[in-house]
C-alpha cells in the first residue's frame, strides 16, 4: 500500500517568522499590526509594546503550534526580567531553528 | 482585646483596604495603629485609629528626606514589564530600606499583639519576624501572587530583590518573609483570582470596602439631572500628568458631546476645557458613586476593579503598568469586561468597547456573579475574624525561628 510519508517539516527562518507574525496579529489585532513594521529585530516589549498578559498569550500559541518538538514554555519561563524585556522575534526564531 | 498595627506604604490602593479592616477591628473594641511615612494618613484613619508616624532625626541627612518617598512611584513614566523593574529597584527597595528603622522604633513603642504588613512592605514583615511578633500579610495586589505561575523567573527575580534587602536589614534566611506563613489575606475572591495551588495560610476574604470615611464632595445635582447612561473613568492615583493627558484626551475624543454622562477622576486643570457631559473632580466619593453608574473605564488597578465588580459593573480595562496587565487578564477571563492596550488604543476603540459592555448583557451578568462571590467571601468581618484568631491563639503561635 502506498503511504504518504510526512517527514517532520523543517521550517526556514522566513517561514517561522511568518508563523510568529500571524500569532502576534492574533494577539494584538490585525488593525494594529497594519500600522506596525514587524521585523525579526522587533522586540516584544519596546517595539511591539506588548504587556505581560499579551506575551503570555503569544507564548501559549507558540507552544500549541510547535508543541511536540520544542519546550517553548520552559525556555521562556527560564528567562529573567531583563531577558524578557529585551526579547526579540529573532531570539524565538533562532531557538525554534535550534530545536528542529 | 487585641492590639493590631498595620504597616503601610504611601500608596492609596494599598492603604484603603487597611482602613476598612482597621475600622472593623476598632468596632470590635481592639486598639489599632498604622505605621506610615505620610502624616496626611491621620485624617483618613477611622475614629480611634492611631497614626504611628515614622520620623527620623532631622539632622540626619540620610533620613531627613522622607517626603521624597511619598510620591516616589509617580516619578517616572513606566509601562509594561519594565515597570516591574522600576517598581522594585527604584520604589519598593529604597522605600522599604528607608522605612525599616522607623518601623522598628514604632513597634517598640506600640507593642502590638499582631502586625499586619502590606505584601510590598517587606521591611514590615522583616521587622516583625526579627522581633518575634506574629504577623499577617495584606495582599492588595493579588496579581503579584499569580505571576509566580505565568512568568516564574520574574517572580523569582522579585523574591531575590526582597531577600537581598532582608539580608541588609539583618535577616539571614534564604527565603522571602514578605508573605506571612501564619495568615496571608488576599483581598479578592477565589473566583476572580483564578485557580492556583497555594499553601493553606492564603485566605481570600474578598475585597474589603466597608467603613470608609466620606471625604470627597460631589456634584450630585448635575449627575442626577442626566438621563444618559453613566460611566466612571479613573486611572488611579499613581500615574502622572503625562499619562493622564494622553489617556483622558482619548476619553474626551470618544465621549465628548455623546449621549453619555462621564464622571472622570482627574485634576480639572489638566485641560482648559472639558465637554459639557463630563463631571471632572480630582477626588470623587467612588464607593457612593458606583451604585449609580452603568460601567467603569479604568487602568485595571486592583481596588477600582474590585469596587466596580462588587457593584456588578462591567468594565473596560486599559492596563498601564505593574500588576495591572494581570488584573485586566482576569477581567477578560471572567467575562466581566473588555481589555484595550494602553499604547495602542484610539478613541474609537474606547467608544466601541464601552458600547459593547453597556449593550451586551453577558458582561453585566458575569460582573454580578463575581460581585456575589465577593460578598460571599466575607469581606471586612471575615478579615477581622482571621486577624482576631491570631490574638486568641497567640500563645499557640510559634514562629519559624
Amino acid at each position: 500500500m502506498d503511504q504518504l510519508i510526512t517527514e517532520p517539516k523543517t521550517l526556514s527562518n522566513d517561514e517561522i517568522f511568518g508563523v510568529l507574525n500571524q500569532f502576534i496579529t492574533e494577539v494584538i489585532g490585525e488593525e494594529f499590526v497594519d500600522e506596525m513594521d514587524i521585523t525579526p529585530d522587533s522586540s516584544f516589549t519596546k517595539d511591539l509594546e506588548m504587556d505581560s498578559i499579551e506575551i503570555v498569550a503569544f507564548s501559549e500559541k507558540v507552544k500549541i503550534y510547535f508543541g511536540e518538538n520544542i519546550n517553548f514554555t520552559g525556555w521562556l519561563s527560564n528567562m529573567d526580567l531583563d531577558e524578557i524585556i529585551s526579547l526579540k522575534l529573532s531570539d524565538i526564531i533562532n531557538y525554534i531553528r535550534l530545536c528542529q | 482585646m487585641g492590639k493590631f498595627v498595620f504597616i503601610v506604604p504611601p500608596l492609596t490602593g494599598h492603604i484603603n483596604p487597611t482602613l476598612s479592616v482597621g475600622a472593623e477591628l476598632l468596632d470590635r473594641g481592639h486598639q489599632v495603629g498604622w505605621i506610615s511615612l505620610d502624616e496626611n494618613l491621620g485624617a483618613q484613619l477611622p475614629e480611634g485609629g492611631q497614626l504611628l508616624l515614622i520620623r527620623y532625626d532631622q539632622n540626619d541627612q540620610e533620613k531627613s528626606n522622607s517626603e521624597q518617598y511619598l510620591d516616589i512611584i509617580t516619578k517616572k513614566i513606566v509601562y509594561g514589564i519594565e515597570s516591574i523593574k522600576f517598581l522594585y529597584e527604584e520604589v519598593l527597595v529604597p522605600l522599604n530600606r528607608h522605612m525599616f528603622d522607623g518601623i522598628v522604633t514604632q513597634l517598640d513603642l506600640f507593642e502590638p499583639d499582631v502586625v499586619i504588613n502590606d505584601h510590598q512592605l517587606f521591611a514590615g514583615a522583616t521587622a516583625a519576624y526579627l522581633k518575634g511578633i506574629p504577623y499577617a500579610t495584606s495582599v492588595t495586589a493579588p496579581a503579584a501572587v499569580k505571576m509566580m505561575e505565568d512568568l516564574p523567573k520574574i517572580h523569582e527575580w522579585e523574591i531575590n530583590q526582597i531577600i537581598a534587602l532582608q539580608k541588609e536589614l539583618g535577616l539571614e534566611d534564604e527565603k522571602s518573609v514578605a508573605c506571612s506563613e501564619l495568615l496571608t489575606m488576599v483581598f479578592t475572591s477565589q473566583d476572580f483570582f483564578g485557580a492556583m495551588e497555594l499553601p493553606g495560610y492564603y485566605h481570600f476574604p474578598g475585597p474589603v470596602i466597608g467603613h470608609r470615611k466620606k471625604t470627597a464632595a460631589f456634584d450630585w445635582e448635575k449627575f442626577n439631572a442626566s438621563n444618559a447612561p453613566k460611566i466612571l473613568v479613573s486611572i488611579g492615583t499613581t500615574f502622572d500628568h503625562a499619562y493622564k493627558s494622553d489617556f483622558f484626551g482619548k476619553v474626551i475624543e470618544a465621549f465628548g458631546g455623546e449621549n453619555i454622562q462621564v464622571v472622570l477622576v482627574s485634576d480639572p486643570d489638566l485641560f482648559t476645557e472639558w465637554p459639557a457631559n463630563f463631571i471632572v473632580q480630582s477626588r470623587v466619593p467612588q464607593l457612593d458613586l458606583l451604585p449609580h453608574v452603568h460601567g467603569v473605564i479604568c487602568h485595571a488597578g486592583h481596588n477600582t476593579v474590585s469596587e466596580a465588580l462588587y457593584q456588578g459593573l462591567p468594565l473596560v480595562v486599559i492596563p498601564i503598568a505593574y500588576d495591572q496587565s494581570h488584573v485586566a487578564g482576569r477581567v477578560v477571563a471572567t467575562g466581566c469586561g473588555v481589555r484595550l492596550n494602553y499604547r495602542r488604543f484610539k478613541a474609537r476603540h474606547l467608544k466601541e468597547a464601552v458600547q459593547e459592555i453597556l449593550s451586551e448583557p453577558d458582561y453585566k451578568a458575569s460582573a454580578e456573579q463575581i460581585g456575589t462571590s465577593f460578598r460571599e467571601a466575607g469581606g471586612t468581618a471575615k478579615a477581622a475574624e482571621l486577624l482576631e484568631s491570631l490574638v486568641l491563639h497567640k500563645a499557640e503561635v510559634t514562629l519559624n525561628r
Side-chain angles (χ1 to χ4, degrees):
Chain A
M1 196 170 71
D2 284 349
Q3 201 177 355
L4 190 68
I5 296 167
T6 46
E7 288 288 324
K9 206 172 139 207
T10 306
L11 298 180
S12 69
N13 281 13
D14 282 353
E15 286 167 324
I16 297 170
F17 175 71
V19 171
L20 299 183
N21 208 336
Q22 174 58 34
F23 292 158
I24 291 167
T25 308
E26 287 171 22
V27 169
I28 71 182
E30 198 158 353
E31 65 162 308
F32 297 110
V33 170
D34 288 346
E35 294 169 8
M36 290 174 174
D37 183 22
I38 303 181
T39 73
D41 249 355
S42 304
S43 74
F44 287 87
T45 300
K46 264 222 157 55
D47 299 327
L48 305 183
E49 300 181 326
M50 287 168 82
D51 66 7
S52 56
I53 210 82
E54 289 175 332
I55 292 174
V56 170
F58 169 81
S59 77
E60 285 295 313
K61 288 178 186 289
V62 175
K63 185 176 77 180
I64 290 165
Y65 188 87
F66 294 99
E68 300 276 307
N69 305 316
I70 67 162
N71 177 14
F72 184 71
T73 317
W75 178 68
L76 188 72
S77 66
N78 266 311
M79 288 201 173
D80 65 23
L81 192 55
D82 289 319
E83 286 170 323
I84 290 187
I85 288 171
S86 61
L87 184 69
K88 291 175 178 176
L89 256 75
S90 58
D91 298 326
I92 299 179
I93 294 171
N94 291 339
Y95 176 70
I96 293 169
R97 291 276 285 175
L98 205 70
C99 295
Q100 284 186 141
Chain B
M1 288 292 110
K3 224 172 165 184
F4 295 87
V5 68
F6 292 95
I7 308 180
V8 293
L11 299 168
T12 310
H14 294 248
I15 292 168
N16 280 345
T18 73
L19 299 177
S20 297
V21 177
E24 175 77 21
L25 289 169
L26 286 161
D27 277 358
R28 293 172 178 229
H30 302 291
Q31 250 184 291
V32 185
W34 275 262
I35 298 179
S36 168
L37 268 186
D38 183 5
E39 59 186 342
N40 296 319
L41 178 61
Q44 296 174 54
L45 294 184
E47 186 84 33
Q50 299 174 50
L51 176 64
L52 310 172
L53 188 64
I54 294 178
R55 282 241 177 262
Y56 292 116
D57 184 351
Q58 296 301 311
N59 297 324
D60 187 340
Q61 272 305 316
E62 276 279 300
K63 299 206 156 166
S64 63
N65 300 326
S66 291
E67 295 242 318
Q68 69 173 330
Y69 290 92
L70 298 181
D71 58 352
I72 189 170
I73 198 159
T74 65
K75 297 261 166 82
K76 195 164 164 183
I77 303 229
V78 289
Y79 174 76
I81 290 183
E82 278 176 286
S83 66
I84 293 168
K85 207 172 152 70
F86 163 74
L87 179 67
Y88 276 83
E89 290 181 345
E90 295 180 46
V91 179
L92 296 180
V93 169
L95 177 71
N96 277 279
R97 184 185 285 130
H98 178 77
M99 286 180 70
F100 181 75
D101 288 347
I103 291 169
V104 170
T105 305
Q106 290 295 346
L107 289 179
D108 286 341
L109 290 170
F110 192 68
E111 299 184 318
D113 297 313
V114 174
V115 167
I116 304 112
N117 77 293
D118 182 88
H119 65 125
Q120 291 186 340
L121 217 55
F122 21 93
T126 305
Y129 190 90
L130 288 172
K131 291 190 158 298
I133 308 170
Y135 69 99
T137 303
S138 145
V139 181
T140 50
V145 177
K146 214 50 180 155
M147 180 141 337
M148 292 181 211
E149 244 181 6
D150 290 339
L151 298 165
K153 275 283 170 178
I154 292 186
H155 175 69
E156 198 179 301
W157 180 88
E158 292 177 343
I159 295 296
N160 288 337
Q161 308 302 305
I162 297 173
I163 293 172
L165 184 72
Q166 286 178 179
K167 288 191 175 167
E168 197 186 310
L169 302 178
L171 200 158
E172 290 302 324
D173 302 35
E174 290 295 335
K175 61 165 190 179
S176 160
V177 300
C179 286
S180 165
E181 293 184 7
L182 287 175
L183 170 61
T184 289
M185 294 182 292
V186 186
F187 290 125
T188 187
S189 66
Q190 260 182 311
D191 284 1
F192 186 66
F193 184 80
M196 182 173 175
E197 291 259 344
L198 285 168
Y201 51 82
Y202 279 85
H203 289 259
F204 290 80
V208 284
I209 59 184
H211 299 297
R212 297 277 175 77
K213 274 190 180 173
K214 293 177 178 38
T215 48
F218 185 67
D219 191 350
W220 287 102
E221 207 171 323
K222 179 175 178 184
F223 181 79
N224 289 326
S226 169
N227 292 319
K230 298 176 167 98
I231 54 167
L232 175 71
V233 184
S234 170
I235 60 169
T237 50
T238 60
F239 296 109
D240 72 355
H241 278 206
Y243 274 111
K244 286 185 175 153
S245 35
D246 182 30
F247 192 99
F248 295 144
K250 293 180 194 174
V251 175
I252 291 173
E253 196 187 332
F255 303 113
E258 298 286 322
N259 182 39
I260 191 160
Q261 176 63 56
V262 175
V263 178
L264 194 148
V265 186
S266 167
D267 177 359
D269 294 338
L270 191 65
F271 292 105
T272 46
E273 215 179 335
W274 295 89
N277 59 322
F278 280 44
I279 297 174
V280 181
Q281 294 187 184
S282 49
R283 293 184 66 83
V284 298
Q286 187 158 305
L287 294 171
D288 296 333
L289 201 53
L290 285 170
H292 307 286
V293 304
H294 302 93
V296 173
I297 299 174
C298 71
H299 61 310
H302 186 254
N303 282 319
T304 300
V305 166
S306 298
E307 289 166 13
L309 293 176
Y310 202 92
Q311 291 294 335
L313 294 172
L315 292 140
V316 174
V317 282
I318 310 167
I320 302 174
Y322 316 123
D323 63 330
Q324 292 155 11
S325 175
H326 279 246
V327 176
R330 289 307 300 160
V331 168
V332 172
T334 52
C336 298
V338 173
R339 173 185 170 284
L340 298 174
N341 179 295
Y342 173 75
R343 289 279 204 228
R344 295 185 213 113
F345 87 101
K346 298 197 171 63
R348 68 189 150 87
H349 304 117
L350 185 58
K351 200 170 165 179
E352 284 164 14
V354 166
Q355 262 159 12
E356 192 177 333
I357 61 155
L358 294 185
S359 63
E360 174 56 63
D362 284 356
Y363 292 109
K364 170 100 184 133
S366 301
E368 278 170 352
Q369 242 173 25
I370 293 294
T372 303
S373 80
F374 283 174
R375 282 182 289 278
E376 286 173 355
T380 45
K382 179 71 185 172
E385 271 168 38
L386 288 166
L387 289 171
E388 281 174 333
S389 73
L390 294 189
V391 182
L392 293 173
H393 302 288
K394 193 182 166 191
E396 301 159 32
V397 166
T398 47
L399 294 172
N400 305 338
R401 61 194 314 269

